[in-house]
Amino acid sequence: MKVDIESKPLEPIPAHLNMLKNPPKKLFYKGGALESLLQAEHKIAIVGTRKPNPYTKSYVAKLASKIAELQGVVISGGAIGVDIIAHTHAFPRTIMFSPSSLDIYYPRSNKAMIEKMMQECAVISEYESPYMPHRFSFLERNRLVIALSDVVIIPQADKQSGSMQSARIAYELNKPLFVLPHRLGESEGTQELLATHRAKCIYDMNVFLEGIFGVKIQRSDEILEFCMKNPSFEEAYLKFGEKIYEYELEGKIVREAGSIRVL
């Protein structure tokens, strides 16, 4: 599906990208907010699996929203799963790097959000029209996402995945790398990053954000904070009682396969 929004050359190429061994020769963008987004003091990449579990979905949504509230910018690749959740909840404080040329929505399933970003945020590509992505295009895109960012978060990833390649790039570029805590047997890629000391763990979102932004974060709703951990409904009920039913009726949380997810 093609789009009509005008594509413009991005000149000069952001200095952060020159740290790459193979920096882009050209960049193109769509969006009216690129200049202000690039000037943000804190640019944070959030990239990860295309099949996040409910816990990861909830945490990424809340984290991206908080980063935007603090006037940070979330950078990602527009992919299904973690990427598009991060873009959606950081909107309009977000930048997307596309694996295709900018006359094409990719992936097509994310068309509506990509179009919104092309109009109100910024979508960047190094490919001239027409260009549909090849397998190597995603790694090429990921290197730009990581290089432009000051901090990298990989919420969930399998061992053999593009997200682990992003982790390698972050490590090579000496970018601070963070992951989420998961149960044993889940997100084995990020578990490996922790075990080999290549990443740090976000155990408390507010503590993490305070360390990045240097400001005191007002603590949010205790029940929602607990539910961000994707507990079983029984665990939440034992801790908070009938309040859990109120939150469910108000649409703040939802039950999925016996667990709770924050909306």
Side-chain angles (χ1 to χ4, degrees), residues 15-235:
H16 276 57
L17 302 184
N18 291 325
M19 68 176 63
L20 292 164
K21 294 178 182 177
N22 55 336
K25 294 180 174 61
K26 295 181 181 179
L27 286 176
F28 308 91
Y29 77 97
K30 291 184 177 182
L34 179 61
E35 184 176 351
S36 63
L37 294 173
L38 288 176
Q39 290 174 353
E41 185 177 356
H42 301 288
K43 294 185 283 294
I44 301 173
I46 302 180
V47 295
T49 179
R50 288 172 169 78
K51 297 179 180 180
N53 60 33
Y55 155 71
T56 299
K57 290 178 183 178
S58 294
Y59 209 102
V60 169
K62 186 67 172 177
L63 181 59
S65 177
K66 283 282 192 180
I67 291 169
E69 286 177 20
L70 294 166
Q71 295 302 297
V73 170
V74 170
I75 304 176
S76 199
I80 295 167
V82 164
D83 290 23
I84 203 65
I85 293 170
H87 286 307
T88 299
H89 289 272
F91 185 86
R93 303 286 300 175
T94 189
I95 295 172
M96 172 186 161
F97 278 96
S98 177
S100 67
S101 55
L102 295 179
D103 57 333
I104 298 168
Y105 291 114
Y106 194 93
R108 186 174 178 179
S109 59
N110 291 341
K111 171 191 170 184
M113 190 62 210
I114 294 172
E115 184 174 26
K116 285 179 67 176
M117 289 189 285
M118 285 181 168
Q119 292 170 338
E120 300 183 48
C121 308
V123 180
I124 306 173
S125 174
E126 63 180 316
Y127 306 113
E128 296 191 55
S129 176
Y131 185 87
M132 282 294 290
H134 303 281
R135 288 188 66 179
F136 58 82
S137 307
F138 301 100
L139 181 58
E140 290 181 340
R141 173 202 61 192
N142 291 353
R143 88 191 196 285
L144 301 178
V145 171
I146 302 305
L148 188 61
S149 304
D150 306 304
V151 174
V152 179
I153 303 170
I154 301 180
Q156 181 182 338
D158 296 327
K159 279 189 177 181
Q160 303 297 325
S161 65
S163 298
M164 292 299 285
Q165 292 299 315
S166 295
R168 177 185 58 78
I169 296 168
Y171 192 72
E172 290 174 352
L173 296 179
N174 200 31
K175 302 281 184 175
L177 178 59
F178 293 86
V179 300
L180 300 185
H182 285 267
R183 293 174 290 200
L184 292 176
E186 295 182 350
S187 191
E188 292 185 343
T190 59
Q191 302 280 36
E192 181 180 276
L193 292 173
L194 283 175
T196 55
H197 308 292
R198 287 179 286 169
K200 295 181 179 179
C201 196
I202 302 174
Y203 292 111
D204 184 302
M205 184 186 302
N206 290 321
V207 171
F208 167 74
L209 291 172
E210 287 170 354
I212 298 296
F213 288 87
V215 296
K216 190 71 175 175
I217 307 294
Q218 183 176 359
R219 266 40 185 177
S220 56
D221 189 301
E222 181 187 6
I223 295 177
L224 293 181
E225 287 284 345
F226 181 79
C227 291
M228 289 291 297
K229 301 173 184 177
N230 196 217
S232 69
F233 187 83
E234 290 74 17
E235 289 173 321

